[in-house]
Amino acid sequence: MSDLVGDARHLSPSAQEALRLRAVAALVAGRDREEVAAVFGVSLKAVDIWWAKWQAGGREALVMRPRGKPVGVHQVLGEAEQAAVRQAVLDHIPSDLGLSGQLWTRGQIGELIFKLYRVRFTEPGVGKYLKRWGLTFQRPDKRAVEQDPEAVRVWHEETWPAIRAKARAENAEVLFGDQVGVRSDQVTGRTWGAKGATPIVRRTGNRFSVNAMSAISTRGRMHFMVFTESFNAKVMCRFLARIVGHFDHKVHLIVDRHSAHRSKTVQAWLAGHQDQTELHFLPSYSPELNPDELVNADLKRSLPTPTGPGTRPNSPPKPAGSSTDASVNHTSSAATSAAHTSATSWTRTL
């Protein structure tokens, strides 16, 4: 039962701490213990306990202490065992440790604990440990098994800083480029429907696609060109020509290792425009290093419209140099916002 009486027992821990300190201060000032008990509305026993604590440990003996059991008391797993399980979850996937699957769940982590220490936990019990370890349930990012970690390290620590320094010295523009295709029968996003009955979206059966080549600057400005033919070296050269014509200074364009980017046709075009543009290649199987990939993903997420695409237009595609092909010099407001977020957030991590 609490030593506080009256309303004092309902005070918050911090208010009770202040009460103890004020009562002891009154005793130190020479007030009688009965008077102090009456003034602060507490029992004589409480006043005597506080005074004894103050004499033994000073002010620190009267301050508020965390309630409940100290962290780590009566835990089944010791600190070293917890650290080992936490590191195993961070460094490995379940199949690496003789379990099934590639993603960790509370059940899988419970199985790992049982395998290591022969202790069985419920899923809520595992969840408490995970929270204590600072781990959260997240959607994992993807990495290709063919990716070369050393090449990625060299890109981060050597190649990208060198490109950025060279561009600054030349007062040049740095762009990240990529191509994307959109099909007429593509369905993205989600909609509401009755449980167990998948909603149906009507799309045209006349399948066709449209492609785009885009480039995003580290300042968040996006340039794009839409075309209907397949992406090849000729399209790449046309895009480079449009990009070069849009700037009055040199452009450093960073792209992946698509065969069209590395073709002899493109290399020959670059040889004749060395003062205007320079091409750089990302490590293989490393789309996460290209912020333009985020713009492409945002484009596909934003495709659903109230009406959806119809059929392919009857008129033939406009020739190169028309308004459709010349859209490389335009930047939409929505794309600018997404591009700026993608590029700036990526470059800040380097």
Side-chain angles (χ1 to χ4, degrees), residues 71 121 126 188:
V71 176
F121 281 96
V126 173
T188 58

Side-chain angles (χ1 to χ4, degrees), residues 180-188 201-211 228 300 303-305 307-313:
V180 63
V182 180
R183 290 177 57 92
S184 61
D185 57 350
Q186 179 172 323
V187 178
T188 58
V201 176
R202 299 292 180 181
R203 313 293 283 186
T204 176
N206 181 17
R207 297 179 180 178
F208 58 93
S209 62
V210 64
N211 302 313
T228 55
K300 293 193 174 184
L303 278 178
T305 62
T307 57
T311 57
R312 182 198 296 266

Side-chain angles (χ1 to χ4, degrees), residues 13-25:
S14 59
Q16 290 186 25
E17 175 188 310
L19 181 64
R20 291 191 295 270
L21 294 173
R22 290 172 60 197
V24 170

Side-chain angles (χ1 to χ4, degrees), residues 1 7 38 52 73 83 182 203 314:
M1 186 174 180
D7 293 335
V73 172
V182 180
R203 313 293 283 186
N314 292 326

